[in-house]
């Protein structure tokens, strides 16, 4: 089900908060993939949500964020998690796996970069350093001057 591909990260996390806060007042199943529900919003407003799990962008909500637009809002996400509570763990596990994957990628890239730096010649390293001073923020140059030039 592609609801997470259609929703912004913000809507997903806020929707999860709404689910945990039991903001979904009631819902009913309309057919195999559509649900209708009432979700408590901020300022004691109740929003009417039509959740289409097959075509998430056809979902509807009368909140200011989603009304008249083809976006997935936090109320739709809250309703989705209420109808499919098992999806909460699956979603959180997926996020965790992605962040582990990303951390591994960053670690690998760092090791690759260090290996490459050790192979660079003196003139290549000098050119790279000057390039960093040219494009980097001022503090990098200032820090270099303080650490390696002024007090030597
Ligand atoms: Zn909404």
């Amino acid at each position: 089900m592609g609801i997470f591909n259609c929703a912004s990260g913000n809507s997903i996390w806020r929707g999860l908060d709404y689910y945990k806060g039991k903001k979904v007042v009631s819902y009913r199943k309309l057919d195999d993939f559509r649900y209708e529900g009432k979700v408590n919003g901020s300022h004691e407003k109740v929003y009417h949500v039509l959740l289409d799990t097959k075509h998430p962008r056809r979902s509807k909500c009368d909140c200011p964020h989603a009304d008249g637009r083809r976006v997935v809002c936090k109320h739709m996400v809250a309703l989705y998690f209420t109808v499919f509570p098992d999806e909460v763990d699956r979603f959180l596990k997926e996020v965790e796996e992605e962040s582990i994957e990303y951390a591994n990628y960053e670690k690998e890239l760092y090791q690759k970069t260090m290996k490459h730096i050790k192979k660079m010649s003196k003139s290549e390293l000098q050119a790279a350093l000057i390039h960093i001073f040219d494009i980097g923020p001022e503090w990098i140059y200032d820090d270099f001057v303080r650490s390696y030039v002024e007090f030597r």
Side-chain angles (χ1 to χ4, degrees):
M1 273 176 258
I3 189 166
F4 300 130
N5 301 325
C6 302
S8 69
N10 193 40
S11 289
I12 297 173
W13 289 110
R14 298 286 304 280
L16 186 59
D17 281 343
Y18 271 45
Y19 160 74
K20 287 178 180 167
K22 303 196 189 307
K23 298 268 196 182
V24 177
V25 183
S26 64
Y27 75 87
R28 67 188 183 106
K29 192 174 178 168
L30 296 178
D31 53 39
D32 281 350
F33 49 89
R34 291 191 313 153
Y35 299 83
E36 181 183 78
K38 287 180 186 165
V39 183
N40 270 331
S42 41
H43 311 298
E44 289 168 32
K45 271 194 177 145
V46 177
Y47 295 117
H48 301 86
V49 181
L50 176 83
L51 176 68
D52 188 325
T53 58
K54 197 175 179 186
H55 307 285
R57 285 193 190 281
R58 288 186 196 164
S59 299
K60 288 185 176 6
C61 177
D62 56 2
C63 74
H65 178 64
D67 200 13
R69 299 169 66 203
R70 289 167 67 86
V71 296
V72 172
C73 68
K74 60 191 174 196
H75 309 108
M76 298 169 190
V77 174
L79 179 57
Y80 179 80
F81 282 137
T82 304
V83 177
F84 306 103
D86 289 349
E87 290 293 304
V88 175
D89 282 345
R90 218 180 64 124
F91 168 72
L92 292 176
K93 210 174 149 193
E94 225 166 76
V95 170
E96 197 190 314
E97 278 167 8
E98 270 170 28
S99 77
I100 290 169
E101 223 169 79
Y102 186 70
N104 285 339
Y105 164 79
E106 284 210 308
K107 199 174 143 193
E108 259 171 48
L109 191 62
Y110 180 79
Q111 287 166 346
K112 198 175 157 187
T113 304
M114 287 304 129
K115 213 171 146 188
H116 182 77
I117 287 173
K118 282 173 188 157
K119 280 190 204 157
M120 288 168 82
S121 70
K122 188 180 174 183
S123 63
E124 280 174 327
L125 287 165
Q126 286 170 339
L129 190 57
I130 290 165
H131 175 69
I132 288 166
F133 290 158
D134 284 346
I135 63 153
E138 195 76 11
W139 67 264
I140 291 183
Y141 174 76
D142 291 343
D143 187 72
F144 181 84
V145 170
R146 250 178 278 123
S147 306
Y148 299 99
V149 183
E150 271 184 339
F151 301 111
R152 302 248 158 177

